[in-house]
Amino acid sequence: MRLTLLLLAALSLSGCGLVALPFRVTGDIIQVVPVVGKPLGAPVHAIGDAID
């Protein structure tokens, strides 16, 4: 069961999604910061969208 879940996770993160993941996560973390989070996090998150 664990091996099946691991293989499904690996297949879903293959390709461009794996490259875009750090940008999406970083953008989400930056957006949590009050006042400056939204303007700074949106371009970082947009980079992840552009990669996909």
Side-chain angles (χ1 to χ4, degrees):
M1 182 69 173
R2 287 183 183 176
L3 181 59
T4 304
L5 290 174
L6 182 62
L7 288 174
L8 287 174
L11 288 174
S12 67
L13 292 177
S14 65
C16 295
L18 185 62
V19 176
L21 184 66
F23 292 104
R24 292 178 187 271
V25 171
T26 304
D28 289 339
I29 291 172
I30 292 172
Q31 286 182 352
V32 176
V33 177
V35 181
V36 296
K38 292 269 186 190
L40 294 177
V44 176
H45 202 275
I47 293 171
D49 291 339
I51 291 173
D52 280 340

